[in-house]
Amino acid sequence: RNKIKMFKVDNKSQFVEDSKYELTYSSSKGDNATINFCDFDANFEHIFLVVDNQVLQKRAVSNINKVLQSIELKESVKGSLFRNFRLSADGKFCVLGGGYDKKHFFVVDIENEKQIHLKSEQLNSTYVPCFINGENKLIAVSDKNGTIEIWDVEKQETVKTLQVDANSTGSKWIKASASRHNILAIG
């Protein structure tokens, strides 16, 4: 809950723990200090963390225990088993899903430390957001009823709504999303 370990993978698919990349997070919360989400920029130069449900941190991978930037989020985010935190490919923006029964989500302009609160009119919860093609222009965000909204970040509005059918168990809950090369994958 408060530790990240990294493993080097060689050409024989051997996984060897690399202690120089081990991160143990601590805060005023003591034993309750928590790393909620993490992601890397495309060049693996920085790791971004959401900690204690409230703070976005940027750290250099080369010196992982030093915080380069810390942004207090305007609203606490809920922990989740889903990937509710994503970076744009250029590492300049991140998006955070609001989670269960939260109709809103957040886009953070990391360089300018500006937070944008976006509220859906259709989604009952906001999960597994992703940047379309990794770019910081469009974001897909979904809910537990099979609805996906595509948002224009600059205009701060929905530009398209998609609906998926239930899976073989009857669930419409969307638990994963990814987008590259003009493809949006939802599952």
Side-chain angles (χ1 to χ4, degrees):
R1 103 191 233 152
N2 69 338
K3 187 177 279 194
I4 293 176
K5 293 185 177 199
M6 296 188 209
F7 299 82
K8 286 187 177 181
V9 183
D10 65 19
N11 58 6
K12 296 179 184 174
S13 298
Q14 298 298 309
F15 292 80
V16 178
E17 187 175 338
D18 190 336
S19 61
K20 83 174 185 179
Y21 294 118
E22 183 174 303
L23 167 67
T24 301
Y25 172 69
S26 62
S27 74
S28 62
K29 294 192 174 202
D31 290 342
N32 292 321
T34 302
I35 300 171
N36 304 102
F37 303 108
C38 70
D39 204 355
F40 294 99
D41 62 11
N43 297 324
F44 197 67
E45 293 174 357
H46 298 100
I47 184 171
F48 295 81
L49 308 173
V50 174
V51 295
D52 294 333
N53 299 318
Q54 192 74 43
V55 179
L56 173 65
Q57 292 184 343
K58 176 181 179 180
R59 298 167 181 242
V61 172
S62 62
N63 187 2
I64 201 160
N65 287 298
K66 181 180 179 190
V67 177
L68 300 176
Q69 185 179 18
S70 184
I71 301 171
E72 185 85 17
L73 300 174
K74 289 181 181 177
E75 182 177 320
S76 177
V77 295
K78 290 185 176 184
S80 176
L81 298 176
F82 303 124
R83 189 173 179 187
N84 277 351
F85 172 65
R86 282 304 219 352
L87 282 174
S88 59
D90 62 10
K92 293 180 180 180
F93 287 81
C94 74
V95 60
L96 292 143
Y100 184 75
D101 284 340
K102 299 274 186 166
K103 296 173 77 73
H104 59 270
F105 62 100
F106 299 91
V107 178
V108 180
D109 175 343
I110 297 168
E111 287 182 341
N112 298 307
E113 297 190 9
K114 180 181 174 190
Q115 298 176 47
I116 304 166
H117 177 269
L118 300 172
K119 185 175 180 185
S120 172
E121 296 298 323
Q122 295 183 41
L123 303 178
N124 55 28
S125 299
T126 52
Y127 289 107
V128 295
C130 75
F131 289 93
I132 304 298
N133 293 324
E135 298 170 0
N136 54 26
K137 295 178 179 140
L138 297 174
I139 293 172
V141 63
S142 57
D143 70 5
K144 59 186 178 180
N145 294 319
T147 305
I148 304 106
E149 287 184 344
I150 310 300
W151 283 75
D152 182 305
V153 174
E154 186 177 316
K155 293 179 182 176
Q156 298 182 23
E157 65 185 21
T158 304
V159 295
K160 182 84 174 165
T161 302
L162 308 170
Q163 188 69 42
V164 297
D165 295 329
N167 65 20
S168 60
T169 65
S171 174
K172 291 185 176 185
W173 203 321
I174 297 169
K175 299 176 183 175
S177 68
S179 179
R180 293 287 187 267
H181 303 288
N182 295 319
I183 298 288
L184 171 62
I186 297 289

